[in-house]
Amino acid sequence: MKIKLLWFCLMAMAFSLLAAQLPPELAEIPLPSDPDIHFGTLGNGITYYVLQNSRPANIAELRLYVDAGSILEDEDQLGLAHFTEHMAFNGTTNFARSEIVEYLSSIGMGYANGLNAGTSYDFTMYQLKIPTNDQEQLEKGFMILSEMANQVSFDPAELEKERGVIIEEWRMGQNAQSRVSEQIFKVRFAGSRYATRTPIGSYDLLSTFERDQIVRFYEDWYRPDLQSVVVVGDLDPEMAISLVEEYFGDIPAHDNPRPREIFEIPHHPEPRAVVAVDPEYPYSNVTASWSRETSDYKTVGDYYRALHERLFFTMLNARLEELLQAEDPPFSFAYASSGTMMKGFSATELMAYAAEGRNREALRALLIEAERVRRYGFTESELARAKTRLIRNLEKNVEESDTRDSNAVVWSILSSLITGNTILSAEQNLNLTNQFINSISLQNVNAVIDDLITAENLTISYASTDKEGAKHPTEEELIAVYGEVQDLDIAAYEDTEVLEPLMAEIPASGQITKRKSYPQSGVKELTLSNGIKVYSKKTDFKADEILFSAQSPGGYSRYDQSGAIAAQLLNTYLNNSGVGDFDRNAMTRLLTGKIAHVNLYVSTYYEGFSGSASPRDLETMFQLIYQYGTNPRFEQSSLISMVNQLKPFLENQNLNPQVVFFDSLTAISYNHHPLKERLKEEHLNELELRNMMEVYRDRFADFSDFSFFFVGNFDEELLEEYVKVYLANLPVSQRQDKIVDKGIMPIKGKREVRFQKGSNESAYVAHMTTSAFKLNHENKVALNAAINVLNEKLRENIREELSGVYVVTSWPEIERHPQEHCNITIFMTCSPDRVDELNAAIMATVDSVRAGEFEERYVESSKAVMTKQYEENISKNSYWRTQMIDAVLDNEAMDAFLDNPSRIAKIDKKLITKAAKQYFQFDKNLLTVVMTPEASALQNKEEE
């Protein structure tokens, strides 16, 4: 503590003498690492990072980070870094075949609850959660991770089974997005391995490689000096370190290890461009990317420089956001960013989505803003707002540091491993920034552009839909836009400050007319003088979080299609337009330094609000509720702007086979009901401001039947005060809305629809059934238990045994209206020539669950998963909010969900079988939708 205090005193002294520049002796001081993280290196070279964190209780997040990815593959190993990751789950020295997955599933920590892995260009990462209140399970978790690090068996039979799974994953990824990205990467990373080492690899090699090729990759790169173990959770650090030493310390170091090379991207002094088009790519976007070497983040000087960059991008993005609010914006979405996940390489990117045919205009707008900053810089008022936002976000991180989730903490450590940067605590970040913030001058921030956007290493990429009649620029024309901007007469930016308060007049306090409490849950219920019900639950789950929702019966089901479209877009419109005298840009300035968000919505059968706030900004959140509830801003210019922003994301969606598939599934399952139709471009053309206003006035004229739900770390006296001032003054008319039945129900009986679309390598298949469902906790628990068993059986039978898919999964959707019912969907992608075979296997699996033909281990696994999920969820504000809302809507006891552990404990084979028979009615009600590639597309690929 004394060293830390002395260090910050020296910093303060230095900045009392210096206005803008860091002296070399200060800049070179190493950044202090997070003092709560225990890190070290074992004798064999493995590094470890251990942090005690109590959220969630009795759980530890374990990670194995391997500093090796697809970039290190030899020419005869393309795709084998990713294949190696898969094989780590398919057998090690002490875990045969699927024993790892089966064991973790048996303790509730399988694929359904945290087990995963991922392969990138430069690294591979394995993740699992493990209980810390059971020593045997804890040690076995460390043992599993250590065997993945050093003892993967690569059993030939398992390797051949997994080959089919990997090929299906490859097949699933052969879509327009991957084809466009491949075209861009070949230019952007030309001359580098990054252009030819995508993690998924080569189909030809994946289909034909021999065992020795993948074993060679594992032996070369899975070694202690390239591995790190991360342990974050509810575990004593000394015990965690001793477990790391016990299970990882004996892994032998490699003699004369193969050098781990860093692959650079060649320098290119002249601008380059690439035009990447595809007939199924549904968007139109353009990116200007300046590559550069990654800057280290290890010293005080590095931190000081990085602060300038953060402020720079905050201000630049604010300007891009402002451009969106024009009636005819040059793009529909744009952002500026800096960074990369690749070693030794970083980039500044200006990226925009635009309407078809407007990419050059979007590129021009992006480059003009960059050039405007280069010539004139930002303004003092912009910098002041950016500093306020930065400090406020860092303060929030500090306030939440004692209640942060272990999974989030793990990713901050992994990010440091990927980049090589020093890991700072939230408090260190805030203290350092506070030391520096006043010394950061506008002049120095403005100068950052010369480091981030240079005259060299520029790649302009254009991606768009290639369809009949489409006109695309050439590479030379894109580069010419860059040159033209340099010669333009560009005016300086003029900033507008907003000094008025969000509400000039605060209404007089209303009344609380009735109080009720629910002792078991601690939920409190208030009835206000205007009829509004308020349910609140004070928690300490997250120190800096308050969540809220509000609901009222009604929704857009009472309208025709045009009214329903207006209702669905009301939230998007009001986010664009603002409230009262404040448009979107003014609202952004007004809320600088505030952490409070409110969204208004209209769903099929309800309307309401949702949002969140920091405890210190609770009143701001209430004022936003009041303003959106009484004083929204309706302007034709905002409507035109919204339409122009949305159109580019909708205009070519029907060219995307995946969108067409799920659209077809929904449309067919609901008999093409117009109120279940996806938003389309033509709907935007029919929008009128009058309709938006009418829907708003109809749905939000009467708050007497609204229920508000608040969960989080609020001051209970303040909450009641704001409830009386802001909610009790919302307008009421006591009209008693009811749900309108428009016949939005899924079809019954059996039907199969097959069609061809696109050139994707995979077939898309969905099976859907519907059944009556009585909404209560007992039925929800039984349904979820049955779904867990079904998913485990589908994974084992269809993926593992038949090697037929990468993804096969089922999920339930419970609907309250117009009648309580449940939809079950089973989805997979597979080879087109195996659709019938795998469909039969899926239905056989369903029948086996319905008949109770599954082992007891599936029951225990389902119970364990549900128990662990409940134990984690019960400490989450979002879970409590959902349960409170469900209790009111389903007319159940407010405390009923707290009995779910006892309900889960009663799950047995009989209950699961009964639920499967009741809800898995694929034998009676079955809609099957199959989409396969167009024959002409497959033929063209074969000819190529």
Side-chain angles (χ1 to χ4, degrees), residues 42-63:
L42 303 183
N44 56 9
I46 285 180
T47 59
Y48 62 82
Y49 300 82
V50 172
L51 177 65
Q52 186 170 15
N53 193 69
S54 60
R55 308 270 179 159
N58 302 320
I59 292 292
E61 296 277 355
L62 305 187
R63 299 291 186 272

Side-chain angles (χ1 to χ4, degrees), residues 796-859:
E796 291 180 0
N797 294 349
I798 314 303
R799 173 173 162 150
E800 306 298 341
E801 292 301 319
L802 295 176
S803 302
V805 299
Y806 172 64
V807 171
V808 59
T809 187
S810 67
W811 64 85
E813 294 176 293
I814 300 172
E815 302 286 350
R816 293 184 175 88
H817 309 293
Q819 303 164 27
E820 292 180 353
H821 64 278
C822 173
N823 302 327
I824 307 292
T825 303
I826 301 174
F827 169 76
M828 72 170 173
T829 65
C830 65
S831 171
D833 59 11
R834 296 191 68 184
V835 168
D836 293 333
E837 171 202 353
L838 298 178
N839 278 349
I842 285 174
M843 289 305 148
T845 301
V846 171
D847 290 343
S848 70
V849 178
R850 284 169 49 87
E853 297 172 355
F854 50 88
E855 299 170 17
E856 188 64 28
R857 68 181 177 89
Y858 294 97
V859 179

Side-chain angles (χ1 to χ4, degrees), residues 553-560 604 607 675 698-699 737-740 742:
Y556 61 75
S557 60
R558 59 188 58 245
Y559 305 125
D560 60 15
T604 311
E607 62 270 348
L675 295 189
D698 180 39
R699 294 295 86 221
D737 266 344
K738 293 183 179 180
I739 301 297
V740 174
K742 285 290 187 67

Side-chain angles (χ1 to χ4, degrees), residues 477-680:
E477 287 172 332
L478 291 173
I479 293 172
V481 172
Y482 174 72
E484 291 165 5
V485 168
Q486 310 306 306
D487 299 328
L488 282 179
D489 183 15
I490 301 172
Y493 175 81
E494 293 185 10
D495 191 26
T496 303
E497 294 192 73
V498 177
L499 303 177
E500 297 85 355
L502 179 59
M503 290 182 61
E505 296 184 11
I506 306 300
S509 178
Q511 298 296 319
I512 297 172
T513 60
K514 187 178 179 181
R515 296 175 182 270
K516 185 178 180 180
S517 60
Y518 300 89
Q520 188 178 354
S521 63
V523 173
K524 296 182 179 180
E525 177 186 339
L526 306 175
T527 303
L528 307 184
S529 48
N530 58 355
I532 288 176
K533 297 273 191 181
V534 177
Y535 299 86
S536 65
K537 166 66 178 178
K538 179 176 173 60
T539 72
D540 60 359
F541 306 146
K542 294 193 78 172
D544 202 55
E545 180 181 82
I546 299 169
L547 305 181
F548 96 95
S549 287
Q551 285 194 319
S552 165
Y556 61 75
S557 60
R558 59 188 58 245
Y559 305 125
D560 60 15
Q561 189 179 38
S562 63
I565 295 297
Q568 292 174 65
L569 288 172
L570 188 59
N571 173 47
T572 304
Y573 171 77
L574 290 178
N575 276 339
N576 247 35
S577 64
V579 296
D581 296 330
F582 306 109
D583 63 14
R584 171 64 180 269
N585 291 332
M587 289 282 286
T588 300
R589 288 169 167 78
L590 182 69
L591 296 175
T592 296
K594 302 289 187 182
I595 298 178
H597 308 279
V598 171
N599 291 307
L600 173 151
Y601 72 90
V602 182
S603 64
T604 311
Y605 298 109
Y606 295 92
E607 62 270 348
F609 299 91
S610 64
S612 63
S614 167
R616 72 166 84 170
D617 298 316
L618 182 61
E619 185 170 18
T620 298
M621 184 179 78
F622 272 94
Q623 290 186 349
L624 287 169
I625 295 170
Y626 184 83
Q627 288 285 64
Y628 278 115
T630 62
N631 196 22
R633 184 184 179 94
F634 286 97
E635 289 184 326
Q636 184 66 23
S637 59
S638 295
L639 179 63
I640 296 171
S641 176
M642 180 194 75
V643 168
N644 285 327
Q645 289 178 46
L646 290 177
K647 272 189 176 182
F649 295 106
L650 302 175
E651 58 189 351
N652 289 311
Q653 285 297 304
N654 285 337
L655 300 176
N656 185 331
Q658 292 96 321
V659 170
V660 172
F661 173 79
F662 286 105
D663 270 1
S664 300
L665 177 62
T666 300
I668 297 166
S669 64
Y670 284 94
N671 286 301
H672 297 276
H673 197 291
L675 295 189
K676 293 295 288 186
E677 188 176 2
R678 175 181 58 83
L679 181 67
K680 297 179 180 178

Side-chain angles (χ1 to χ4, degrees), residues 129-280:
K129 294 192 295 189
I130 210 76
T132 59
N133 56 351
D134 185 307
Q135 189 65 25
E136 181 181 349
Q137 293 177 0
L138 177 64
E139 293 196 22
K140 205 161 187 178
F142 277 84
M143 181 181 180
I144 287 170
L145 210 61
S146 71
E147 298 223 343
M148 289 177 167
N150 184 54
Q151 298 186 53
V152 175
S153 58
F154 296 100
D155 178 85
E158 291 303 307
L159 192 148
E160 288 307 313
K161 284 185 177 180
E162 199 65 25
R163 192 191 299 270
V165 174
I166 293 281
I167 287 174
E168 289 309 318
E169 184 176 0
W170 175 90
R171 194 191 308 277
M172 188 174 70
Q174 301 309 298
N175 52 32
Q177 179 65 60
S178 67
R179 293 191 292 269
V180 165
S181 296
E182 184 178 1
Q183 294 176 63
I184 292 172
F185 281 13
K186 282 182 177 178
V187 174
R188 187 178 179 191
F189 301 138
S192 165
R193 275 202 178 196
Y194 289 108
T196 60
R197 291 296 192 278
T198 56
I200 195 60
S202 156
Y203 174 85
D204 290 339
L205 196 140
L206 292 172
S207 302
T208 60
F209 78 89
E210 301 290 339
R211 180 179 181 274
D212 66 294
Q213 292 165 254
I214 192 170
V215 170
R216 187 175 81 243
F217 181 89
Y218 186 74
E219 291 178 345
D220 279 345
W221 305 116
Y222 276 62
R223 61 188 202 230
D225 61 302
L226 297 180
Q227 294 176 330
S228 298
V229 180
V230 181
V231 184
V232 177
D234 195 8
L235 181 64
D236 177 74
E238 291 186 6
M239 175 179 286
I241 293 171
S242 69
L243 289 170
V244 171
E245 291 171 341
E246 178 180 355
Y247 287 98
F248 291 87
D250 291 337
I251 297 175
H254 284 209
D255 295 328
N256 301 314
R258 187 173 175 181
R260 201 297 188 199
E261 188 177 350
I262 304 299
F263 296 91
E264 298 181 352
I265 295 171
H267 176 78
H268 54 95
E270 298 299 324
R272 301 178 300 183
V274 52
V275 174
V277 297
D278 190 278
E280 296 170 14

